[in-house]
């Protein structure tokens, strides 16, 4: 899997490290990279907003081409990411980018918090490969009742809810599960998605 970071944190954030480690334990090797604006931030320490979508997508496309050329056509290749990274992965796949077998999104930004008039799912129907979204039930970017209100979402193959998780899969303090355990659950569900939706195609 090529795993992209979210808008505000780099590829080696606590969440990204935990997710990549958990995926690796499930047999899914991860390649992480940083979008151009995050590369600049790492170089000079200055926070800046994400690049425009065309710049983000071009950077993602270059990584896909590089990984595919290194791994060959026999390797099952997923693209995915945290929040914005997952959205860019799904956009890239919807544009018909070559070499992508599936998409996995963690904390997908279905809409900006509180802005139910700005859904970001229109491109899902153009996907030519399976799409997995794993979402915390407390995620302000898309909660269960909000997703249910739009009905069936064309192109969304599997939607998994992590009970009590927020946008970073952090549960309520009263829950028995930890953030690490919810991230592990996300990795297990990703492996199941690969086995049931990709490897049987």
């Amino acid at each position: 899997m090529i795993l992209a970071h979210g808008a505000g944190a780099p590829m080696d954030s606590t969440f990204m490290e935990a997710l990549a480690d958990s995926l690796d334990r499930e047999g899914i090797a991860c390649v992480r990279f940083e979008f151009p604006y995050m590369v600049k931030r790492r170089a000079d320490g200055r926070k800046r907003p994400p690049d425009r979508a065309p710049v983000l997508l071009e950077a993602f496309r270059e990584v896909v081409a590089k990984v595919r050329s290194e791994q060959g056509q026999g390797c099952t290749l997923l693209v995915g990411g945290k929040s914005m990274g997952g959205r860019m992965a799904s956009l890239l796949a919807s544009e018909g980018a070559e070499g992508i077998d599936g998409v996995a999104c963690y904390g997908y930004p279905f809409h900006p918090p509180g802005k139910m008039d700005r859904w970001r799912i229109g491109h899902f129907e153009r996907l030519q490969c399976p799409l997995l979204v794993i979402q915390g039930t407390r995620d302000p970017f898309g909660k269960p009742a909000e997703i249910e209100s739009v009905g069936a979402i064309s192109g969304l193959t599997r939607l998994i809810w992590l009970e009590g998780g927020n946008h970073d899969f952090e549960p309520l303090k009263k829950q028995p599960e930890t953030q690490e355990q919810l991230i592990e659950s996300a990795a297990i569900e990703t492996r199941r998605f690969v086995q049931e939706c990709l490897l049987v195609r």
Side-chain angles (χ1 to χ4, degrees):
M1 178 187 288
I2 300 173
L3 189 63
H5 61 80
M11 67 179 183
D12 56 358
S13 67
T14 301
F15 180 94
M16 291 288 287
E17 291 279 3
L19 180 58
D21 288 345
S22 294
L23 287 167
D24 189 62
R25 287 193 293 272
E26 294 300 322
I28 301 173
C30 289
V31 172
R32 283 177 278 169
F33 72 100
E34 289 183 335
F35 294 111
Y37 78 99
M38 193 62 72
V39 173
K40 293 175 185 174
R41 170 174 155 179
R42 192 176 287 277
D44 62 19
R46 289 176 49 215
K47 286 194 175 184
R48 42 177 58 83
D51 302 299
R52 298 280 185 178
V55 175
L56 299 174
L57 291 171
E58 183 56 31
F60 214 142
R61 189 177 291 107
E62 290 175 0
V63 178
V64 170
K66 183 173 188 292
V67 171
R68 179 55 82 189
S69 68
E70 292 173 350
Q71 298 298 321
Q73 295 302 314
C75 175
T76 299
L77 180 62
L78 291 93
V79 293
K82 170 77 170 75
S83 193
M84 182 196 75
R87 183 185 177 211
M88 289 304 116
S90 64
L91 281 167
L92 186 64
S94 76
E95 293 181 353
E98 294 185 6
I100 296 174
D101 297 308
V103 182
C105 304
Y106 305 93
Y108 187 82
F110 283 96
H111 57 74
K115 297 182 179 178
M116 298 286 292
D117 59 331
R118 292 174 55 190
W119 287 86
R120 297 160 170 163
I121 56 176
H123 63 285
F124 284 2
E125 63 184 15
R126 299 194 299 273
L127 286 166
Q128 300 297 310
C129 61
L131 167 65
L132 167 70
V133 172
I134 300 182
Q135 198 86 348
T137 57
R138 296 190 299 123
D139 193 333
F141 289 85
K143 297 178 182 178
E146 297 168 351
I147 307 305
E148 289 172 10
S149 72
V150 301
I153 299 176
S154 178
L156 177 54
T157 308
R158 185 171 292 183
L159 174 59
I160 301 293
W161 292 103
L162 299 179
E163 184 61 41
N166 66 6
H167 195 52
D168 294 318
F169 298 167
E170 292 177 356
L172 292 164
K173 290 184 178 179
K174 65 182 181 182
Q175 286 184 230
E177 301 91 354
T178 63
Q179 181 189 31
E180 290 74 20
Q181 288 172 319
L182 289 186
I183 290 174
E184 287 174 5
S185 295
I188 291 168
E189 291 292 350
T190 305
R191 172 178 52 79
R192 186 172 291 133
F193 167 73
V194 170
Q195 292 173 332
E196 296 175 358
C197 299
L198 300 187
L199 298 183
V200 297
R201 297 174 81 201

